Amino acid sequence: ASEGKVKLVPNTKIQMSYSMKWKKSDVKFEDRFDKYLDPSFFQHRIHWFSIFNSFMMVIFLVGLVSMILMRTLRKKKK
């Protein structure tokens, strides 16, 4: 959290600092990336609703563009 407000002036340096707290972990340094190397970590379920939703959006937009195109081409004939 910021302790005090500093007026921003061009070409001036602003002093910044941060702090952190270290927590001891039971995981050894060598084993830290084991969960990322696990093949089951990368297996994701297929989100069928999202695929269906995207497909329906594509159909709707293609229909909308084709309807506008057909109306424009019919007006040009007359």
Side-chain angles (χ1 to χ4, degrees):
S2 176
E3 293 177 4
K5 294 183 179 181
V6 177
K7 186 174 182 180
L8 295 178
V9 180
N11 300 322
T12 57
K13 292 186 178 182
I14 299 174
Q15 184 177 358
M16 298 185 155
S17 64
Y18 68 95
S19 63
M20 67 174 96
K21 292 183 181 178
W22 294 95
K23 280 175 53 176
K24 188 168 178 78
S25 174
D26 294 333
V27 180
K28 288 194 283 183
F29 180 79
E30 298 84 20
D31 300 333
R32 286 188 307 158
F33 289 97
D34 284 352
K35 72 176 179 178
Y36 300 113
L37 299 174
D38 185 18
S40 64
F41 180 77
F42 294 105
Q43 291 179 357
H44 300 290
R45 293 184 303 120
I46 297 174
H47 297 277
W48 290 108
F49 180 73
S50 178
I51 293 171
F52 178 73
N53 193 16
S54 300
F55 181 69
M56 293 306 289
M57 186 62 75
V58 167
I59 290 175
F60 172 73
L61 292 174
V62 166
L64 187 68
V65 169
S66 63
M67 189 173 69
I68 292 170
L69 192 64
M70 294 300 270
R71 288 181 72 183
T72 305
L73 290 175
R74 281 193 191 136
K75 285 185 180 179
K76 295 272 184 182
K77 287 183 180 179
K78 293 181 180 179

